[in-house]
């Protein structure tokens, strides 16, 4: 743990805000008004230039290499050229750099940042889910990204995490799991792992089933603007099965979509753009269960106060979901 991690959260944000103002000079977007968007796994600020009103997102990275951020930007630029999806535009510094190392007192030594243009829209949180219309559009968008992934030829320097079986399950902390779960629940998690391995083995890793995925297309990461859906936050970009990418979107519908209308709308939108066989659709619940285990383990291991506050109820709901998805 660094000295920065021992600071109160408010002090951490103050230090990062100061650094953000200096970093933005290198992008030619200052002076700018800064507003904090998030301070959790990563820290993001909205920057609005006072002269023109142009808006940007500045993101501080600690757990991602410069190569991973450059790879994300390469993917975004090629996907933007393809069209059909509104996504962030990568912004380079005045010197043409895409990633800036931040070396300042009181800040972690491994800190770097990147900037993208602001994407308009509002997060579409509703008590019973985002609704069929929105999810149909999200399905179409994800299918468009998967079609792009099928044809994408990565440059030799392309670097992103691999979210295969090892990639999504390898970080299990046995002590944490023993503290939170009873033996029957631990066996349930193990069953999900085994069935996910079988499903992935059946799908293999050909271009039609495996490629670059968004990795985090849940409700917080798609926006609605003038009835159109826009996609943000590609920080979890990786190589994985397309069905796992779909499961990330469908997992949060648990308990909100009892009749399955929103799920079906998502699948309809997906099939309007890209083929999805009935065999692969039948495997979706296994991948949704896998996503449930991944998220449950993240919450169990997190020291963030917000995660700790919801952990008990979250795990109870997830375990109920696993039992339903594995039927």
């Amino acid at each position: 743990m660094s000295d920065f991690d021992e600071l109160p959260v408010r002090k951490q944000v103050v230090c990062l805000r100061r650094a953000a103002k200096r970093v933005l000079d290198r992008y030619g977007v200052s002076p700018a008004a800064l507003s904090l968007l998030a301070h959790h796994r990563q820290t993001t600020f909205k920057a609005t230039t006072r002269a023109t009103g142009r808006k940007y997102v500045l993101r501080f990275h600690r757990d991602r290499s410069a190569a991973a951020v450059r790879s994300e930007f390469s993917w975004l630029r090629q996907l933007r050229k393809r069209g059909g999806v509104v996504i962030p535009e990568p912004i380079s510094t005045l010197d043409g750099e895409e990633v800036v190392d931040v070396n300042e007192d009181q800040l972690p030594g491994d800190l770097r940042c990147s900037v993208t243009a602001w994407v308009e829209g509002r997060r579409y949180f509703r008590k019973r889910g985002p609704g069929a219309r929105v999810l149909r559009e999200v399905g179409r968008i994800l299918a468009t990204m998967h079609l792009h992934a099928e044809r994408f030829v990565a440059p030799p320097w392309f670097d992103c995490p691999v979210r295969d079986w090892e990639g999504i399950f390898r970080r299990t902390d046995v002590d944490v799991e023993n503290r939170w779960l009873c033996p029957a629940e631990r066996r349930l998690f193990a069953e999900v792992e085994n069935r996910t391995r079988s499903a992935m083995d059946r799908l293999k890793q050909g271009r039609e089933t495996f490629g670059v995925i968004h990795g985090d297309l849940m409700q917080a990461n798609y926006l609605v603007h003038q009835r159109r859906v826009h996609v943000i936050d590609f920080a979890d970009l990786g190589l994985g099965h397309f069905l796992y990418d779909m499961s990330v979107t469908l997992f949060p519908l648990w308990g909100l979509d009892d009749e399955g209308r929103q799920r079906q709308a998502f699948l309809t939108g997906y099939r309007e753009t890209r083929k999805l066989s009935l065999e692969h659709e039948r495997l979706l619940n296994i991948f949704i269960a896998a996503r449930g285990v991944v998220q449950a383990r993240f919450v169990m291991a997190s020291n963030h106060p917000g995660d700790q506050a919801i952990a008990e109820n979250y795990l109870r709901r997830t375990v109920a979901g696993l039992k339903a998805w594995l039927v």
Side-chain angles (χ1 to χ4, degrees):
M1 181 176 291
S2 69
D3 293 340
F4 176 81
D5 294 313
E6 296 178 351
L7 294 173
V9 170
R10 182 177 176 277
K11 182 65 174 176
Q12 292 178 5
V13 173
V14 168
C15 293
L16 290 168
R17 184 185 295 273
R18 290 173 182 162
K21 290 182 177 179
R22 286 188 282 270
V23 166
L24 284 170
D25 286 336
R26 300 179 61 177
Y27 289 87
V29 295
S30 66
L34 292 177
S35 56
L36 181 69
L37 297 174
H39 181 60
H40 191 182
R41 292 168 58 197
Q42 300 175 79
T43 303
T44 53
F45 288 95
K46 177 182 179 181
T48 306
T49 57
R50 293 188 174 95
T52 65
R54 290 194 64 184
K55 293 175 283 189
Y56 303 86
V57 174
L58 184 147
R59 184 185 302 272
F60 285 101
H61 308 268
R62 290 188 66 184
D63 57 349
R64 300 181 75 206
S65 67
V69 179
R70 292 188 186 102
S71 298
E72 173 195 339
F73 278 16
S74 171
W75 168 261
L76 289 175
R77 286 193 170 98
Q78 292 198 37
L79 184 56
R80 284 174 59 84
K81 288 180 181 177
R82 178 185 178 90
V85 184
V86 177
I87 56 176
E89 176 190 0
I91 304 296
S92 298
T93 67
L94 297 175
D95 295 329
E97 296 294 325
E98 294 181 326
V99 186
V100 173
D101 289 328
V102 182
N103 299 305
E104 298 192 14
D105 293 340
Q106 289 191 297
L107 294 179
D110 58 350
L111 194 66
R112 55 187 55 88
C113 74
S114 62
V115 173
T116 57
W118 181 259
V119 175
E120 293 294 345
R122 296 181 299 106
R123 289 187 168 99
Y124 210 69
F125 292 116
R126 298 292 185 271
K127 288 184 178 180
R128 301 303 298 175
R133 184 191 66 80
V134 169
L135 276 168
R136 182 170 181 168
E137 180 67 5
V138 173
R140 184 197 66 77
I141 289 169
L142 197 58
T144 300
M145 292 195 286
H146 292 170
L147 280 177
H148 180 60
E150 281 189 71
R151 301 161 189 170
F152 177 68
V153 179
W157 47 264
F158 197 83
D159 180 30
C160 66
V162 180
R163 307 197 189 284
D164 55 7
W165 190 89
E166 291 286 344
I168 65 174
F169 289 127
R170 67 185 172 189
R171 296 182 181 178
T172 305
D173 188 322
V174 175
D175 291 336
V176 169
E177 205 154 291
N178 287 342
R179 187 163 66 248
W180 282 99
L181 303 177
C182 70
E185 291 166 341
R186 294 198 296 273
R187 288 194 295 271
L188 183 62
F189 276 41
E191 182 183 354
V192 172
E193 290 192 5
N194 292 335
R195 292 180 65 171
T196 303
R197 185 192 289 275
S198 296
M200 288 182 173
D201 287 345
R202 188 186 310 179
L203 290 169
K204 305 187 186 304
Q205 294 187 4
R207 281 190 170 271
E208 70 283 359
T209 60
F210 189 92
V212 178
I213 60 174
H214 182 284
D216 201 24
L217 194 56
M218 56 184 182
Q219 277 181 264
N221 290 332
Y222 54 83
L223 313 174
V224 177
H225 180 64
Q226 297 177 352
R227 296 183 63 82
R228 290 194 64 190
V229 175
H230 301 168
V231 177
I232 60 172
D233 196 350
F234 285 74
D236 281 333
L237 188 87
L239 292 172
H241 285 92
F242 298 139
L243 287 182
Y244 181 72
D245 211 17
M246 297 168 71
S247 78
V248 174
T249 304
L250 294 174
F251 168 72
L253 292 179
W254 169 244
L256 308 178
D257 187 34
D258 294 340
E259 296 181 358
R261 291 177 181 172
Q262 296 179 81
R263 171 177 171 142
Q264 192 54 52
F266 171 83
L267 295 177
T268 296
Y270 191 94
R271 284 190 167 110
E272 287 172 350
T273 302
R274 184 174 184 268
K275 180 180 177 181
L276 176 69
S277 70
L278 291 177
E279 177 189 1
H280 288 183
E281 182 182 346
R282 283 191 287 269
L283 293 175
L284 255 177
N285 276 358
I286 300 298
F287 283 89
I288 295 173
R291 178 64 175 180
V293 168
V294 169
Q295 291 298 94
R297 285 174 171 161
F298 174 82
V299 170
M300 285 188 287
S302 175
N303 293 321
H304 192 276
D307 293 331
Q308 293 176 347
I310 68 168
E312 187 173 347
N313 286 337
Y314 189 88
L315 291 174
R316 184 164 56 247
R317 290 184 68 251
T318 301
V319 167
L322 297 183
K323 293 175 181 177
W325 293 315
L326 293 180
V327 171

